[in-house]
């Protein structure tokens, strides 16, 4: 591979972060300098800060532990891929846990003053005029987590070693904001804080052709401010009702229509077996509807299915 041009390089010491522009087609690289350090991460559209990274949409499309080849998505209603993870030498990332905050250290541990991800991210984005209210739930690089049989989350020992790294290609101009996670009293970073190196790199045309997504929206419902009824960003904090407001629901009224379905004796027997199972409904119509859409999801739905038929 050809040597990549370094556009920007910075070492984040414990207790710090950095807001850095990463333009479309550039690569963001985060690298371990010590024996395993979690990096919390926020991201904003460089030209419209109201478009920002969203753990929920990323989690929905790529699962709880995004990996190499997965994308980081912006929040509804924009819902565009912001980055693709093009290289990940460890493979443990997390979008379950929110960023740690000063409140958590005070509430859970009794520390009124402690380094934490929210405050570091807030200070990092202050350089670009953003506020603590603009910090959002983070992508947690190298955070090794899981979910137990009771549905409770847990944090395991950090697996990253010196020299491990992640690389992400930007699909549009982004303000990237990584920070050194402040959780030194938990196994997030093996009970010790270490520095991290970040770089912004230029990549080859071949790499761009392989990884870059189209910059514009690809679906009608990837909305932009041009689609909004209210286009101006609210400048005051207090909420006041608009006396002239009249509801204009986007899809309303919802109309239901009956559809007649002819079934064979064998299909009626199947309905009886599914009814006895108890997990598909009670009435014939409920069972047919459940069965049909379960089949349709498996055969035609794009992306993760999020369905356990009969449960």
């Amino acid at each position: 591979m050809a040597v990549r041009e370094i556009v920007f390089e910075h070492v984040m010491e414990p207790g710090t972060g950095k807001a850095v522009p990463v333009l479309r087609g550039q690569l963001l690289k985060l690298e371990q300098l010590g024996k395993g350090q979690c990096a919390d991460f926020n991201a904003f559209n460089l030209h419209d800060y109201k478009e920002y990274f969203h753990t929920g949409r990323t989690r929905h499309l790529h699962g709880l532990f995004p990996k190499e080849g997965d994308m980081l998505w912006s929040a509804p209603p924009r819902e565009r891929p912001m980055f693709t993870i093009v290289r990940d030498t460890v493979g443990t990332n997390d979008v379950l846990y929110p960023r740690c905050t000063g409140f958590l250290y005070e509430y859970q541990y009794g520390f009124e003053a402690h380094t934490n991800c929210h405050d570091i991210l807030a200070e990092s984005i202050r350089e670009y005029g953003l506020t603590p209210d603009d910090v959002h739930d983070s992508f947690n690089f190298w955070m090794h987590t899981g979910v137990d049989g009771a549905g409770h989350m847990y944090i395991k020992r950090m697996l990253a070693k010196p020299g491990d790294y992640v690389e992400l290609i930007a699909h549009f101009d982004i303000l990237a904001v990584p920070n050194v996670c402040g959780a030194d009293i938990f196994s997030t970073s093996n009970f010790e804080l270490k520095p991290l190196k970040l770089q912004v790199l230029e990549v080859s045309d071949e790499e761009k052709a392989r990884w870059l997504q189209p910059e514009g929206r690809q679906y009608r419902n990837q909305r932009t401010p041009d689609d909004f009824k209210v286009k101006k960003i609210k400048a005051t904090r207090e909420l006041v009702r608009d006396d002239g407001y009249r509801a204009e629901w986007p899809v309303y009224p919802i109309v239901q229509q009956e559809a007649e379905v002819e079934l064979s004796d064998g299909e009626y027997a199947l309905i009886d077996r599914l009814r006895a199972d108890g997990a598909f409904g009670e009435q014939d119509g409920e069972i047919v509807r459940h069965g049909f859409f379960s089949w349709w999801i498996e055969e035609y739905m794009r992306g993760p299915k999020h369905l356990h038929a009969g449960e």
Side-chain angles (χ1 to χ4, degrees), residues 70-203:
D70 290 340
M71 294 184 287
L72 281 65
W73 291 78
S74 63
R78 314 301 181 87
E79 297 180 273
R80 292 193 295 166
M82 302 183 79
F83 286 102
T84 292
I85 304 171
V86 300
R87 188 76 175 96
D88 182 351
T89 63
V90 179
T92 59
N93 302 302
D94 168 81
V95 286
L96 272 172
Y97 277 87
R99 62 207 181 273
C100 62
T101 65
F103 162 77
L104 284 181
Y105 286 105
E106 183 178 4
Y107 175 78
Q108 293 195 290
Y109 301 103
F111 300 148
E112 291 188 357
H114 193 281
T115 182
N116 66 84
C117 291
H118 184 98
D119 289 347
I120 298 172
L121 289 167
E123 179 58 24
S124 299
I125 63 177
R126 186 171 69 86
E127 183 176 1
Y128 286 80
L130 298 178
T131 77
D133 280 340
D134 296 309
V135 177
H136 44 272
D137 276 353
S138 54
F139 190 106
N140 305 312
F141 289 106
W142 297 296
M143 191 174 181
H144 192 197
T145 63
V147 181
D148 66 21
H152 298 136
M153 303 182 297
Y154 59 84
I155 302 172
K156 297 184 279 189
R157 184 170 177 82
M158 164 73 62
L159 298 181
K161 306 295 183 185
D164 279 323
Y165 64 92
V166 292
E167 293 178 337
L168 303 93
I169 194 167
H171 296 303
F172 52 90
D173 295 351
I174 291 171
L175 183 69
V177 196
N179 75 277
V180 175
C181 175
D184 60 342
I185 54 177
F186 215 71
S187 59
T188 310
S189 299
N190 296 341
F191 304 99
E192 181 186 11
L193 302 183
K194 306 96 174 170
L196 291 166
K197 182 167 73 174
L198 76 85
Q199 293 177 313
V200 178
L201 305 168
E202 296 288 0
V203 301

Side-chain angles (χ1 to χ4, degrees), residues 229-279:
K229 291 185 175 70
V230 178
K231 295 178 172 57
K232 185 177 179 181
I233 296 175
K234 191 176 184 302
T236 57
R237 292 186 178 272
E238 184 176 359
L239 297 176
V240 179
R241 185 181 182 276
D242 177 1
D243 290 334
Y245 168 78
R246 297 294 182 270
E248 298 177 5
W249 307 116
V251 182
Y252 181 83
I254 304 298
V255 178
Q256 292 183 333
Q257 295 179 322
E258 290 188 357
E260 185 173 328
V261 179
E262 294 185 4
L263 300 173
S264 66
D265 291 343
E267 288 167 333
Y268 273 115
L270 175 59
I271 287 176
D272 288 336
R273 292 197 298 273
L274 294 176
R275 186 178 5 256
D277 179 271

Side-chain angles (χ1 to χ4, degrees), residues 4-22:
R4 291 164 170 160
E5 176 189 349
I6 299 175
V7 178
F8 178 83
E9 183 173 279
H10 176 74
V11 173
M12 300 184 296
E13 297 293 340
T16 74
K18 183 61 181 173
V20 57
V22 184

